[in-house]
Amino acid sequence: MGVKTFAAIDVGSYELSMKIFEISPKEKLREIDHIRHRIDLGTETYTTGKLSHEKVDELCRVLSEYSDIMKSYRVADYQAYGTSAVREMVNREIVLEQIKMRTGIHIDILSNSEQRFLDYKSVASKGESFNWLISNGTAMLDIGGGSLQVSLFDKDSLVTTQNMRLGILLIREHLSKLKLRRSQYADIIDELSGSQIEVLEKLYLKGKKIDNMIVVDEYISNALGKKDRRFLENYIDKDTYLRFMGEVREHSWSELSKELQMPEESIVLLYISSMLVEKFLRTMGVSKLWIPGVTLCDGIGYEYAEKNKILVTTHDFEKDIIDCTQNISKRYMGSKKRGETLEKIALTIFDSMKKAHGLSKRERLLLRLAALLHDCGKYISMNNVGEASYEIVMSTEIIGISHVERVIVANVVRYNYRDFSYYGEGRETIPDKHSYLTVAKLTAILRVATGLDRSHKEKFRDITATLRDKQLLLTVNTPYDITLEKGLLSSKAAFFEEIFEVTPVIKRKRGI
């Protein structure tokens, strides 16, 4: 495979940026150009829900220029993503259609969890530095225009990820409405962020030692990089960062603008961002910071190279999604052993039924998540587990999966406990026919798996599944009495037969 030229476009809250990469097995991912245009989409979107005609015209004009630049580089493929500012437009589809017609560029929308996962991948693409950091207690701060994401790692595992409405554009709007003096900014930012950080500390930081912090941010990394490129390549200690903060406080906006070669409006956002980092740093007791200077475009390029098997990652991102889900289950008092048993049975059935269900590796992951979260609703209601589990999943962000995928998982855990709503009856919770069919197939598999572990005694940990003609033979090796499971399987099998035209049958291994 030769060199491939790829363009990553980020339609962000306060900037439209494009990176051109050369991707090859030898060079991996090499950035050859970075084009940026300052355009504040977030302020209009967050306040009115719409973009003005002037902003849409400017967006189309710049994207047309980007299209010409892609042609000059002979770009083989591109990916354009819109984030929170585009995501929160009430007339989003109309604006996106205008952009497509006027520029030829198609923009996909990232959910918050997808966006943060790509930012996370951009940091992980740095390899050993990232892997070494998360082996100890580490917090990753991903600061955006509309919100801020905090992800906590410990022993190579993603413990939790939480989104807070502490985006720097939102905070700037609050500050501008209050008409404050600059000397008042620090106290107001502290008040705006304090209560949310306090909740994070109470719920997720108790007993956890956070030694390191990774910061993904446009403005701090830009400023630090101009002071000394080594700040982006290496870790800096807390005192070095606080000295930097001291310099930011001491100089006027115009002085900083001249020194850092940044427009004054960007200096205000730098100040807000750096204040947020300081607040988290002091709350968590962090000793080391790493501000690698990566952007969403790096994550887009990394994911493209990964999907096209040009780049082989050393980090297991699917494990991060599973770890995060297991911690959600733990938060709602779910049984880890029960979840793992159910997951094993469900995946055994899924893998044996590939010809019958036609689902992909991605849907296999969604089944795993549904198995792990199948009974999280018991924390709220023992009598209405399905609905309570649905509400928990829909209200909880799972990093790395899209909103539609979260809807699929939520409906699978719901219909594991109640009658299935056919297409048209439950359309308000399932967005399209493809998702509906995925929910139906995964629900059928999870129901059979749940029936095989109804007693919660893990009788079926040693199980194999074989698809033969119109039967799914479930062979078990167990010393336990399985009369209950055989009896319950018939009630669970009806929906499975309807979906796949295959009858599940329990077969006990001889000699047991």
Side-chain angles (χ1 to χ4, degrees), residues 238-251:
K238 179 176 70 175
D239 293 337
T240 301
Y241 180 78
L242 293 177
R243 278 197 299 273
F244 164 72
M245 275 299 302
E247 290 180 30
V248 170
R249 284 203 185 96
E250 287 169 10
H251 292 78

Side-chain angles (χ1 to χ4, degrees), residues 325-426:
T325 304
Q326 286 176 329
N327 278 293
I328 294 168
S329 175
K330 183 179 178 182
R331 190 187 314 159
Y332 293 101
M333 310 298 287
S335 167
K336 184 180 179 183
K337 194 175 283 188
R338 159 77 168 154
E340 288 175 349
T341 299
L342 192 61
E343 178 190 4
K344 182 182 177 182
I345 297 171
L347 294 183
T348 299
I349 295 171
F350 182 97
D351 292 342
S352 69
M353 292 279 294
K354 286 179 182 176
K355 289 182 180 178
H357 59 57
L359 299 173
S360 70
K361 185 181 176 184
R362 189 66 181 181
E363 282 84 26
R364 187 180 190 272
L365 172 64
L366 300 183
L367 177 61
R368 292 184 73 181
L369 305 188
L372 293 169
L373 296 171
H374 77 286
D375 64 348
C376 60
K378 286 181 180 177
Y379 184 83
I380 296 171
S381 171
M382 294 288 286
N383 294 321
N384 201 11
V385 181
E387 291 303 315
S389 297
Y390 171 85
E391 294 297 339
I392 286 173
V393 175
M394 287 304 298
S395 303
T396 307
E397 191 167 73
I398 303 172
I399 195 167
I401 69 171
S402 68
H403 174 73
V404 171
E405 288 173 328
R406 182 150 49 112
V407 169
I408 290 171
V409 173
N411 276 287
V412 173
V413 298
R414 165 193 266 177
Y415 292 125
N416 188 45
Y417 291 92
R418 54 164 277 188
D419 290 342
F420 192 79
S421 294
Y422 294 99
Y423 195 64
E425 297 174 0

